[in-house]
């Protein structure tokens, strides 16, 4: 009886849905980045309107390991504004491409956010005291007559309601000719990289007026261009190592110790193409949309259009694990090409202990792969199927027509509803992911 | 708004209780929390005035607690505050109470902004000397411990800079604690703290007893020098240099050299770069024996490093390294070990390496003497003079004086000339500008004959360069040449050519004549100016181009002081008066300006910026500040930087230009 109920059910349950539940979605509200802070206490989302919303985990739920993961709005601010580049007659969107948290250095929190051209460093800090007492005016601003001044008053800090402030600390501009697709903070805590289509630059967090070019794949003649950089990340532990993925499906690992300019990679991770499945779309679907090191630093995960691959950094020839995210779409590539879905850039993420990985799909489905048990689930981000606290139903996509309640036919998938951005709490069994304009937070129930 | 600008108030007024004396202080205190950052900053910078008015008691009990909580402010305010507090001892009641300053500085030492933290640490170090030995143990040392064991790495990094100031003045038990704390920080989890510890290691070693340097510091140094983070290892190099100066010669080989040798061969080029960069210091620290045995081969390796950045850093040190070699074997070492590497660097693939070498290579000639220079170095100089990269050639030319002393410049002049001529005609105007700046120096070394024969024509050609900055530098160059060769030389060689340009069909060249006259009149003296230059200026007052005419007015104003008063009244004034009734408003203006003798041209500078638009001549004479020429694929855009133009009249011009240049985009 109990066993039967567990069939088709995961241990994951909906915790919260953020954002308006409305079919009419404003362009600016579309979420474009989701990222947990290093402690998991804060969760940041960025949107196409250039805004960043930060959620904070409720104190009570943090202290109870079994409690629900409740995140509430902590701070909202406008990170980027639309701009116009007059020299190139180019509009620069305010859309947030990536958010990366810095390791915490004092009571305040810091994050890097980027649009296509400019990276910014933001400080999010709390203030619970304010000075009181003026000499020449009342607290409400009315002026006091100077003749009433008989003694000097020094202001005193008094407690006040908690105020959260977000202030821009640095603006790292004018270093990218192409669109920035990745930023990644180095484990030395003082530098970070920013990657665009053809170049990767290295910045010191304290200096906005200079950056060093560490990778440049721009050919002398742009007509010879065959490959672009699509994602890049620093190794979590080795300060000298970073990787970048390309539109051709290969990942290069570079060692900054070897030389100042890392055009020569030290490792190339590439899987030979299977000639039997070669088609017009082969190159498009092999493009790397995300690359993430495992927390341990031993493995690296890459996401291309159809699969998720896990590589051992010691083996370049082929991935140690390959997971089909939505293999059933292979027959649909033609129509996905026509509606541009084939160019969607899905992100992927590791569980805190590296035992599981997660990535998004269409129809608001997301996939989780248990690496040890070789088990995978398809779950749906939806507020209709169950109230908060309920276990999520697992889905199966079948090629033909639907037979069971937990099955859905490929033709019934809604390609406009997709989960591109996902983030896993660094320690706990909590995941956050973005559908078009909603942020979903799920939590795993203990057995 | 009460933005009263307050003068410093002397201590005498502090006790007065009349409203009048309190008012300015009240304003200052209120502005400590003004919304305008600038006003807060002003108040913080006058903190001593506030403290004086409050007296020491209230400063301690009210002002300092307030400042301790003021850590949410802008960086610049916090920076000013941290600096002020370093000089606050007398204002809180003297050394007896100096520990009251610790709480605000402690909170400043934990903020995230590095400059603020560093300043707070600097102030803490300063006031540590004002603590009595007892206070140091009761108040200061506990603060260092608190910072060193703080939750956030910001406070722990700040602690690293404070150990060395309290260590010498505390009891031996506390000393042991301090050493323990420093050890802990050297193996901190975060690289930030390890970096801070590594950068302060040398300084801390200096205040430690020698036995502890050997027992503690060496192991810390070894650990930091093999840290997993490149950024920590490279800081350990500098610490190693400081430690080496502290140890007796016999211990160096065993305790420091293995680690330093390892650093010179580190996998990371940044660490090797650091070794190259600190090589001279290292050489001085380890002494002649180790230099001969260890550093020479290490230096050779750095000069041959696979990373260009490292080679460039090492190349920069070639001269200093050779200079500091032990005298008895200097020449042999250079000739057999260093020179072969240097020869390779002359034809390096990287131009930064070559230009770094070119900036020091000439210095070797004084070390090696005449014969070796002629035999071995001269071919290298000559090769570098022909280098494809102009920076290399420039660096050689700019250091010619070193060679001049040893072998005389004649040896070089045959190769020098083509190199100079080529640089003088380089397509990049910045290169031409750089070579012009060396002309007076070269002229001095080559002598007037050689100059007249070979270089004079170049100097004249620059006067008609198509870039204004070059023409401007060329006029300045003429002035310096005249200072060197004298007025008589000027009259015979330069002045006729300059004045000849007054008849040039190009108005820009005619204006150059005027600019030259401005520059030359003083060095040439009254006679030449009155006899030769003035008539030409007068003639140009009838020029058809208004730009020339108003520059005549400006020139007359400039050369006025050189002329005698009779000439001014009878000749210059009538010309200016005629110009003052010119039909062009700018000519009128400058003429009047010259007559009245006032020279406040700020307003007119702006008008000048607009002026060429109406005349439709967008030439580079018009202040580069106002126009920026931008090249795009399709077209050349002329763009006005609006702030340099007056708001009202420029609006239409600005839009017109924008439309013109951006076309369809508007």
């Amino acid at each position: 009886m109990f066993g039967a109920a567990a069939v088709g059910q995961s241990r994951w349950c909906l915790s919260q849905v953020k954002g308006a539940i409305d079919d009419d979605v404003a362009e600016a509200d579309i979420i474009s980045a989701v990222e947990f802070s290093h402690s998991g206490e804060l969760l940041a989302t960025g949107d196409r309107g250039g805004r960043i919303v930060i959620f904070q985990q409720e104190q009570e739920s943090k202290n109870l390991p079994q409690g629900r993961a409740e995140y509430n709005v902590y701070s909202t601010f406008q990170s980027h504004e639309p701009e116009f580049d007059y020299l190139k007659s180019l509009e620069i969107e305010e859309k947030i491409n990536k958010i990366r948290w810095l390791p915490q250095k004092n009571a305040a929190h810091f994050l890097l956010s980027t649009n296509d051209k400019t990276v910014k460093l933001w400080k999010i800090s709390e203030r619970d005291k304010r000075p009181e007492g003026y000499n020449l005016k009342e607290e409400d601003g009315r002026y006091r007559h100077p003749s009433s001044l008989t003694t000097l008053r020094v202001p005193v800090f008094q407690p006040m309601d908690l105020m959260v402030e977000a202030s821009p600390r640095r603006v790292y501009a004018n270093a990218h000719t192409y669109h920035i697709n990745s930023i990644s903070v180095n484990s030395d805590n003082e530098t970070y990289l920013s990657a665009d289509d053809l170049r990767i630059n290295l910045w010191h967090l304290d200096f906005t007026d200079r950056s060093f070019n560490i990778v440049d794949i721009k050919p002398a003649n742009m007509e010879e261009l065959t490959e672009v950089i699509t994602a890049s990340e620093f190794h979590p532990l080795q300060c000298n190592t970073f990787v970048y993925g390309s539109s051709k499906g290969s990942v290069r690992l570079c060692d900054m110790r070897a030389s100042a300019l890392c055009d020569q990679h030290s490792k190339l991770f590439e899987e030979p193409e299977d000639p039997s499945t070669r088609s017009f779309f082969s190159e498009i679907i092999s493009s790397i949309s995300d690359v993430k090191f495992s927390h341990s630093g031993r493995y690296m995960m890459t996401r291309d259009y159809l699969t998720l691959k896990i590589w051992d950094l010691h083996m370049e020839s082929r991935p140690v694990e390959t997971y089909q995210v939505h293999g059933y779409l292979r027959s649909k590539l033609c129509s996905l090409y026509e509606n541009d879905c084939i160019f969607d850039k899905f992100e992927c993420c590791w569980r805190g202990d590296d035992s599981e990985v997660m990535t998004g799909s269409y129809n608001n489905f997301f996939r989780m792969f248990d690496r040890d048990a070789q088990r995978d689930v398809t779950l749906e981000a939806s507020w209709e199927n169950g109230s908060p606290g309920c276990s999520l139903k697992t889905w199966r996509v079948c090629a033909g027509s639907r037979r069971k309640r937990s099955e859905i036919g490929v033709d019934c998938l809604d390609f406009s509803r997709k989960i591109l951005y996902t983030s896993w709490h660094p320690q706990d069994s909590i995941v956050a992911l973005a559908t078009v304009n909603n942020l979903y937070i799920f939590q795993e129930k203990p057995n | 708004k009460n933005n009263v600008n307050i003068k410093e108030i002397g201590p005498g007024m502090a006790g007065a209780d009349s409203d009048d004396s309190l008012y300015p202080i009240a304003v200052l205190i209120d502005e400590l929390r003004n919304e305008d950052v600038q006003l807060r900053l002003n108040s913080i910078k006058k903190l001593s005035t506030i403290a004086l008015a409050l007296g020491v008691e209230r400063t301690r009990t009210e002002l300092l607690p307030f400042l301790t909580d003021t850590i949410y402010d802008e960086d610049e305010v916090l920076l000013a505050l941290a600096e002020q507090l370093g000089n606050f001892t007398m204002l809180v009641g003297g050394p007896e109470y100096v520990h009251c300053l610790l709480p605000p500085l402690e909170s400043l030492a934990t903020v995230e902004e590095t400059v603020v933290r560093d300043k707070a640490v600097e102030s803490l170090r300063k006031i540590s000397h004002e603590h009595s030995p007892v206070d140091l143990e009761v108040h200061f040392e506990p603060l260092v411990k608190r910072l060193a064991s703080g939750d956030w790495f910001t406070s722990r990094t700040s602690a690293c800079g404070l150990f060395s100031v309290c260590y010498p003045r505390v009891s031996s038990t506390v000393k042991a604690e301090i050493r323990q704390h420093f050890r802990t920080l050297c193996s901190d989890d975060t690289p930030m703290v390890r970096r801070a510890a590594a950068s302060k290691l040398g300084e801390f070693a200096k205040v430690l007893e020698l036995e502890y340097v050997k027992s503690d510091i060496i192991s810390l140094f070894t650990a930091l020098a093999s840290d997993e983070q490149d950024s920590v290892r490279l800081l350990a190099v500098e610490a190693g240099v400081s430690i080496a100066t502290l140890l007796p010669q016999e211990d160096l080989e065993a305790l420091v050299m293995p680690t330093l040798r390892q650093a010179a061969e580190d996998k990371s080029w940044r660490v090797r770069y650091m070794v190259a960069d600190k090589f001279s210091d290292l050489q001085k620290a380890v002494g002649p024996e180790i230099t001969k045995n260890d550093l020479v081969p290490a230096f050779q390796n750095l000069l041959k490093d696979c990373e260009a950045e490292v080679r460039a850093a090492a190349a920069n040190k070639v001269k200093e390294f050779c200079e500091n070699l032990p005298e008895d074997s200097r020449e042999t070492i250079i000739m057999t070990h260093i020179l072969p590497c240097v020869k390779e660097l002359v034809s390096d693939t990287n131009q930064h390496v070559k230009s770094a070498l070119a900036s020091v290579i000439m210095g070797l000639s004084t070390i090696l003497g005449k014969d070796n220079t002629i035999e071995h170095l001269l071919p290298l100089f000559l090769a570098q003079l022909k280098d494809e990269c102009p920076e290399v050639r420039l660096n050689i030319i700019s250091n010619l004086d070193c060679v001049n002393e040893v072998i005389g410049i004649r040896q070089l002049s045959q190769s020098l000339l083509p190199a100079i001529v080529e640089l003088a005609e380089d397509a990049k105007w910045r290169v031409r500008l750089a070579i012009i700046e060396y002309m007076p120096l070269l002229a001095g070394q080559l002598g007037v004959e050689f100059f007249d024969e070979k270089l004079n024509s170049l100097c004249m050609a620059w006067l008609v360069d198509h870039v204004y900055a070059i023409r401007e530098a060329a006029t300045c160059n003429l002035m310096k040449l005249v200072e060197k060769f004298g007025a008589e030389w000027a009259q015979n060689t330069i002045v006729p050519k300059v004045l000849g340009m007054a008849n040039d069909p190009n108005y820009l060249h005619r204006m150059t004549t005027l600019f030259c006259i401005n520059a030359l009149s003083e060095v040439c003296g009254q006679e030449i100016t009155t006899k030769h230059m003035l008539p030409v200026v007068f003639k140009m007052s009838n020029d058809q181009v208004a730009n020339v005419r108003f520059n005549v007015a400006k020139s007359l104003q400039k050369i006025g002081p050189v002329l005698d008063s009779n000439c001014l009244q009878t000749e210059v004034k009538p010309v200016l008066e005629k110009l003052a009734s010119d039909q062009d408003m700018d000519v009128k203006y400058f003429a009047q300006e010259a007559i009245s003798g006032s020279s406040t041209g700020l307003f007119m500078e702006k008008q000048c910026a607009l002026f060429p638009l109406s005349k439709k001549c967008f030439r580079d004479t018009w202040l580069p500040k106002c126009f920026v020429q931008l090249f795009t694929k399709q077209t050349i855009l002329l763009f006005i930087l609006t702030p340099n133009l007056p708001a009202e009249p420029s609006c239409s011009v600005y839009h017109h230009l924008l439309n013109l240049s951006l076309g369809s985009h508007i």
Side-chain angles (χ1 to χ4, degrees):
Chain A
M1 177 86 178
F2 186 82
V7 171
Q9 298 277 306
S10 76
R11 293 176 295 131
W12 285 93
C13 49
L14 178 64
S15 179
Q16 281 176 301
V17 186
K18 306 282 183 188
I21 294 172
D22 194 345
D23 286 338
D24 195 19
V25 181
E27 169 82 10
D29 292 333
I30 297 176
I31 297 176
S32 57
V34 178
E35 189 77 11
F36 274 107
S37 70
H38 295 278
S39 66
E41 187 204 341
L42 300 179
L43 170 63
T45 63
D47 63 28
R48 291 203 189 178
R51 284 162 304 190
I52 289 184
V53 183
I54 294 170
F55 300 92
Q56 184 186 35
Q57 195 170 19
E58 276 298 295
Q59 292 304 309
E60 307 91 76
S61 66
K62 202 166 68 179
N63 295 335
L64 296 171
Q66 316 293 327
R68 281 175 51 214
E70 283 280 356
Y71 280 79
N72 291 324
V73 175
Y74 182 60
S75 174
T76 305
F77 58 95
Q78 188 75 36
S79 169
H80 286 73
E81 303 273 0
E83 283 173 85
F84 188 78
D85 182 341
Y86 292 94
L87 303 188
K88 302 204 182 85
S89 304
L90 211 68
E91 232 168 302
I92 303 169
E93 280 183 64
E94 65 272 36
K95 178 190 161 211
I96 306 295
N97 287 349
K98 279 284 189 292
I99 296 174
R100 287 292 176 265
W101 290 90
L102 263 56
Q104 209 175 344
K105 51 176 101 176
N106 60 9
H109 294 84
F110 291 81
L111 63 79
L112 289 172
S113 62
T114 186
N115 66 351
D116 284 341
K117 297 286 176 193
T118 307
V119 184
K120 293 185 182 181
L121 175 68
W122 289 89
K123 173 186 179 180
I124 297 102
S125 57
E126 291 183 0
R127 181 184 286 206
D128 57 0
K129 284 187 207 162
R130 68 186 180 91
E132 272 179 19
Y134 282 108
N135 285 296
L136 297 169
K137 56 180 178 181
E138 305 294 337
E139 227 23 67
D140 57 18
R142 274 182 299 125
Y143 280 98
R144 227 183 266 160
H145 197 269
S147 66
S148 66
L149 188 72
T150 54
T151 175
L152 291 173
R153 266 178 84 186
V154 177
V156 179
F157 274 94
Q158 299 290 353
M160 64 162 189
D161 290 341
L162 184 71
M163 201 167 85
V164 181
E165 292 175 314
S167 44
R169 303 297 294 192
R170 303 264 194 277
V171 177
Y172 311 90
N174 306 322
H176 284 280
T177 314
Y178 306 95
H179 289 181
I180 300 176
N181 53 47
S182 310
I183 44 177
S184 174
V185 182
N186 192 310
S187 62
D188 67 10
N189 287 5
E190 70 174 0
T191 54
Y192 74 91
L193 66 75
S194 57
D196 68 23
D197 296 336
L198 296 176
R199 296 192 181 103
I200 302 179
N201 292 333
L202 183 70
W203 300 82
H204 190 290
L205 283 162
D206 283 347
F207 300 103
T208 56
D209 57 347
R210 72 198 93 135
S211 70
F212 298 94
N213 183 238
I214 47 174
V215 173
D216 186 350
I217 61 165
K218 187 174 182 232
N221 178 3
M222 279 298 265
E223 278 160 25
E224 289 161 17
L225 184 71
T226 56
E227 193 173 16
V228 296
I229 299 168
T230 53
S232 182
E233 192 182 45
F234 265 121
H235 192 280
L237 308 169
Q238 294 165 12
C239 60
N240 49 284
T241 310
F242 68 96
V243 292
Y244 65 91
S246 78
S247 55
K248 277 189 161 173
S250 54
V251 177
R252 288 175 178 82
L253 183 136
C254 302
D255 186 350
M256 294 200 295
R257 289 176 303 186
S259 66
L261 190 62
C262 299
D263 284 350
Q264 301 293 323
H265 55 265
S266 51
K267 285 185 183 183
L268 173 63
F269 298 88
E270 205 171 31
E271 195 175 23
E273 197 187 352
D274 179 0
S276 67
T277 56
R278 184 177 298 160
S279 71
F280 171 71
F281 304 108
S282 292
E283 190 170 322
I284 301 174
I285 63 168
S286 66
S287 173
I288 304 283
S289 59
D290 197 13
V291 53
K292 291 266 169 66
F293 281 106
S294 67
H295 295 86
S296 67
R298 171 76 194 264
Y299 300 99
M300 169 178 81
M301 162 167 63
T302 59
R303 174 74 157 87
D304 57 33
Y305 191 61
L306 293 180
T307 65
L308 196 61
K309 289 172 186 165
I310 293 176
W311 305 76
D312 188 327
L313 291 189
H314 301 299
M315 186 165 73
E316 300 164 54
S317 56
R318 60 189 159 82
V320 285
E321 293 156 40
T322 302
Y323 300 105
Q324 295 299 327
V325 178
H326 35 218
Y328 44 80
L329 293 183
R330 194 171 283 278
S331 58
K332 296 238 151 236
L333 293 177
C334 229
S335 52
L336 290 165
Y337 181 76
E338 274 158 21
N339 64 13
D340 274 352
C341 279
I342 201 164
F343 299 106
D344 283 335
K345 292 188 77 175
F346 290 96
E347 291 184 1
C348 52
C349 57
W350 294 84
R351 192 188 172 107
D353 60 3
D354 297 339
S355 65
E356 280 181 76
V357 291
M358 170 172 71
T359 189
S361 174
Y362 293 103
N363 205 44
N364 277 0
F365 285 164
F366 60 101
R367 304 268 286 143
M368 283 181 174
F369 303 94
D370 185 327
R371 299 177 56 208
D372 294 326
Q374 291 293 317
R375 240 194 349 248
D376 63 276
V377 286
T378 304
L379 302 169
E380 184 188 6
S382 150
W383 66 85
E384 283 152 348
N385 299 332
S387 54
C390 270
S391 287
L392 290 185
K393 182 165 93 165
T394 60
W395 285 94
R396 226 176 69 79
V397 181
C398 52
S401 59
R402 146 186 176 178
R403 272 148 285 183
K404 293 189 199 148
R405 265 190 61 200
S406 63
E407 284 182 357
I408 181 167
V410 179
D411 298 325
C412 305
L413 295 176
D414 181 348
F415 291 107
S416 66
R417 298 162 65 219
K418 50 193 150 199
I419 295 177
L420 299 177
Y421 311 104
T422 58
S423 184
W424 206 312
H425 190 292
Q427 286 92 35
D428 295 340
S429 307
I430 299 171
V431 296
L433 39 89
T435 59
V436 176
N437 67 328
N438 290 117
L439 175 73
Y440 282 82
I441 299 172
F442 298 99
Q443 188 178 21
E444 195 178 25
K445 264 194 190 165
N447 274 327
Chain B
K1 255 194 164 177
N2 295 314
N3 306 346
V4 190
N5 196 4
I6 303 157
K7 300 248 164 62
E8 288 288 338
I9 291 177
M13 294 174 74
D17 53 359
S18 77
D19 296 350
D20 290 352
S21 72
L22 287 183
Y23 182 77
I25 306 293
V27 173
L28 271 185
I29 296 180
D30 285 358
E31 286 185 352
L32 279 175
R33 38 179 298 211
N34 197 294
E35 280 175 20
D36 185 337
V37 185
Q38 203 48 51
L39 294 179
R40 291 205 301 277
L41 195 59
N42 285 343
S43 268
I44 286 285
K45 286 184 173 161
K46 299 225 169 68
L47 211 53
S48 54
T49 311
I50 298 176
L52 267 179
L54 288 171
V56 292
E57 176 80 33
R58 292 192 67 193
T59 299
R60 291 198 300 266
T61 55
E62 295 178 45
L63 185 59
L64 289 181
F66 170 74
L67 295 175
T68 306
D69 284 331
T70 316
I71 51 163
Y72 301 105
D73 216 319
E74 304 284 331
D75 303 335
E76 48 188 323
V77 178
L78 297 182
L79 186 66
L81 176 58
E83 188 170 5
Q84 290 284 317
L85 291 175
N87 304 317
F88 235 59
T89 312
M90 292 321 288
L91 297 164
V92 294
E96 205 182 327
Y97 293 99
V98 67
H99 59 85
C100 298
L101 295 173
L102 298 180
L105 283 171
E106 183 177 354
S107 65
L108 288 170
T110 62
V111 300
E112 68 277 358
E113 203 56 50
T114 318
V115 282
V116 177
R117 280 202 316 272
D118 288 349
K119 188 55 88 178
V121 169
E122 194 186 313
S123 288
L124 279 169
R125 289 169 68 115
K126 211 167 174 182
I127 64 166
S128 76
H129 303 298
E130 282 153 355
H131 282 69
S132 67
V134 177
D135 279 349
L136 202 67
E137 283 198 25
V138 176
H139 298 287
F140 197 86
E141 202 267 341
L143 163 128
V144 179
K145 277 191 208 161
R146 271 198 306 280
L147 287 174
S149 47
D151 284 342
W152 307 114
F153 75 72
T154 45
S155 75
R156 302 202 296 278
T157 52
S158 294
C160 293
L162 296 173
F163 292 115
S164 64
V165 289
C166 49
Y167 190 84
R169 299 177 58 207
V170 292
S171 66
S172 55
T173 35
V174 181
K175 278 185 177 178
E177 284 174 33
I178 290 179
R179 287 197 304 273
Q180 180 53 43
H181 274 291
F182 195 84
R183 254 199 302 277
T184 315
L185 292 180
C186 283
S187 53
D188 196 274
D189 285 343
T190 67
M192 298 299 223
V193 179
R194 296 205 300 279
R195 273 200 294 278
S199 65
K200 301 291 179 196
L201 185 65
E203 169 193 302
F204 187 54
K206 280 188 187 138
V207 299
L208 245 59
E209 297 81 357
L210 187 59
E211 52 174 311
Y212 293 120
V213 174
K214 287 188 197 170
S215 63
D216 284 28
I217 296 292
I218 295 296
S219 65
L220 295 177
F221 166 61
T222 316
L224 289 169
S226 49
D227 197 278
E228 57 175 15
Q229 292 277 340
D230 300 356
S231 54
V232 178
R233 290 205 303 282
L234 66 87
L235 287 171
V237 173
E238 206 174 352
V241 174
S242 313
I243 294 168
T245 58
L246 299 172
L247 292 173
Q249 192 70 32
E250 63 268 23
D251 289 326
L252 281 177
E253 182 53 46
L255 298 178
V256 187
M257 284 319 290
T259 314
L260 285 177
R261 239 175 259 140
Q262 177 194 320
E265 289 164 10
D266 198 280
K267 254 193 117 169
S268 169
W269 68 268
R270 288 165 70 197
V271 179
R272 298 198 302 275
Y273 173 91
M274 204 64 174
V275 175
D277 197 44
K278 300 272 171 253
F279 218 82
S280 305
D281 299 334
L282 182 61
Q283 188 185 8
K284 283 178 201 141
V286 298
E289 271 316 300
I290 295 182
T291 298
K292 268 192 259 178
N293 301 333
D294 268 292
L295 295 194
V296 171
F299 194 61
Q300 282 177 292
N301 285 338
L302 292 171
L303 288 173
K304 291 184 215 154
D305 199 277
C306 56
E307 171 59 43
E309 299 276 349
V310 179
R311 290 200 303 278
N316 257 323
K317 300 283 164 193
V318 164
K319 180 192 157 207
E320 230 175 312
F321 181 76
C322 295
E323 259 173 0
N324 294 330
L325 284 170
E327 225 163 299
D328 54 341
S329 51
R330 186 188 290 158
E331 198 175 317
T332 344
I333 293 177
I334 298 177
M335 296 309 292
T336 51
H337 299 290
I338 306 297
L339 208 55
C341 302
V342 169
K343 278 182 185 158
E344 275 174 48
L345 289 185
V346 167
S347 49
D348 199 276
T349 48
N350 187 296
Q351 66 173 46
H352 297 294
V353 178
K354 285 187 292 188
S355 79
L357 183 69
S359 66
V360 298
I361 191 174
M362 309 292 270
L364 290 180
S365 51
T366 38
I367 304 172
L368 287 176
K370 191 171 177 180
D371 295 339
N372 280 328
T373 301
I374 292 176
E375 191 182 343
H376 298 284
L377 293 177
L378 202 54
L380 302 182
F381 300 157
L382 297 180
Q384 293 217 299
L385 272 176
K386 293 187 192 107
D387 198 277
E388 56 182 7
C389 165
E391 210 176 311
V392 175
R393 283 174 269 153
L394 269 179
N395 279 346
I396 290 289
I397 289 174
S398 60
N399 286 301
L400 277 177
D401 45 339
C402 316
V403 187
N404 199 10
E405 287 163 20
V406 183
I407 58 167
I409 212 154
R410 288 282 161 188
Q411 291 269 6
L412 271 176
S413 55
Q414 284 315 309
S415 317
L416 205 52
L417 198 63
I420 294 173
V421 172
E422 210 177 305
L423 286 171
E425 289 161 357
D426 196 281
K428 292 197 188 77
W429 68 266
R430 282 179 198 284
V431 174
R432 299 201 298 276
L433 187 62
I435 190 75
I436 292 176
E437 278 161 9
Y438 291 119
M439 268 302 147
L441 181 80
L442 282 171
Q445 292 178 357
L446 293 166
V448 66
E449 264 172 58
F450 186 87
F451 184 86
D452 279 345
E453 193 181 323
K454 315 276 187 186
L455 298 178
N456 196 10
S457 55
L458 279 181
C459 292
M460 289 300 146
W462 282 321
L463 288 175
V464 292
D465 197 282
H466 60 274
V467 175
Y468 177 71
I470 299 298
R471 298 198 300 272
E472 191 188 26
T475 54
C476 187
N477 174 45
L478 287 187
M479 186 181 78
K480 286 181 186 156
L481 289 174
V482 174
E483 278 171 1
K484 269 216 159 70
F485 294 150
E488 198 185 328
W489 173 81
Q491 198 186 342
N492 294 331
T493 50
I494 295 186
V495 174
K497 289 186 192 171
V498 166
L499 297 182
M501 278 163 55
N503 302 318
D504 197 288
N506 185 334
Y507 85 100
L508 293 171
H509 297 171
R510 297 201 295 277
M511 291 210 305
T512 307
T513 299
L514 289 171
F515 296 146
C516 287
I517 288 173
N518 293 347
L520 292 175
S521 62
E522 205 185 321
V523 283
C524 286
Q526 197 184 48
E527 198 197 323
I528 298 177
T529 308
T530 321
K531 251 195 194 155
H532 300 278
M533 298 180 182
L534 203 55
V536 178
V537 179
F538 287 154
K539 204 181 128 209
M540 290 169 86
S541 68
N542 299 318
D543 200 286
Q544 56 188 0
V545 176
N547 298 25
V548 177
R549 293 202 302 278
F550 81 62
N551 271 299
V552 165
K554 282 168 116 180
S555 284
L556 287 174
Q557 189 182 357
K558 263 258 175 54
I559 64 175
V562 182
L563 305 171
D564 68 47
S565 56
N566 183 31
C567 167
L568 276 178
Q569 282 304 323
T570 57
E571 296 184 58
V572 176
K573 207 171 173 207
V575 175
L576 281 175
E577 276 164 356
K578 189 188 75 188
L579 289 172
S581 58
D582 198 280
Q583 56 188 8
D584 187 283
M585 62 175 278
D586 292 310
V587 178
K588 259 189 218 169
Y589 174 85
F590 282 108
Q592 278 156 7
E593 188 87 333
I595 291 171
S596 65
S598 85
S599 54
T600 51
L602 194 68
F603 168 67
M604 281 316 292
E605 290 288 323
K606 287 181 179 171
Q607 279 217 335
C608 288
L610 278 176
F611 179 66
L613 299 182
S614 59
K615 302 262 175 192
K616 290 202 172 66
C617 47
F618 303 111
R619 300 303 291 253
D620 50 5
T621 23
W622 297 99
L623 315 170
K625 274 181 218 150
C626 299
F627 297 100
V628 176
Q629 292 187 342
L630 304 157
F631 292 81
T632 69
K633 278 179 191 162
Q634 302 85 13
T635 171
I636 297 167
L637 297 184
L638 262 163
F639 209 84
I640 301 184
L641 294 184
T642 35
N644 282 321
L645 293 169
E648 285 308 311
S650 69
C651 255
S652 57
V653 184
Y654 174 62
H655 280 291
H656 177 70
L657 249 176
L658 260 183
N659 281 323
L660 210 147
S661 50
L662 297 175
S664 58
H665 298 300
I666 289 186

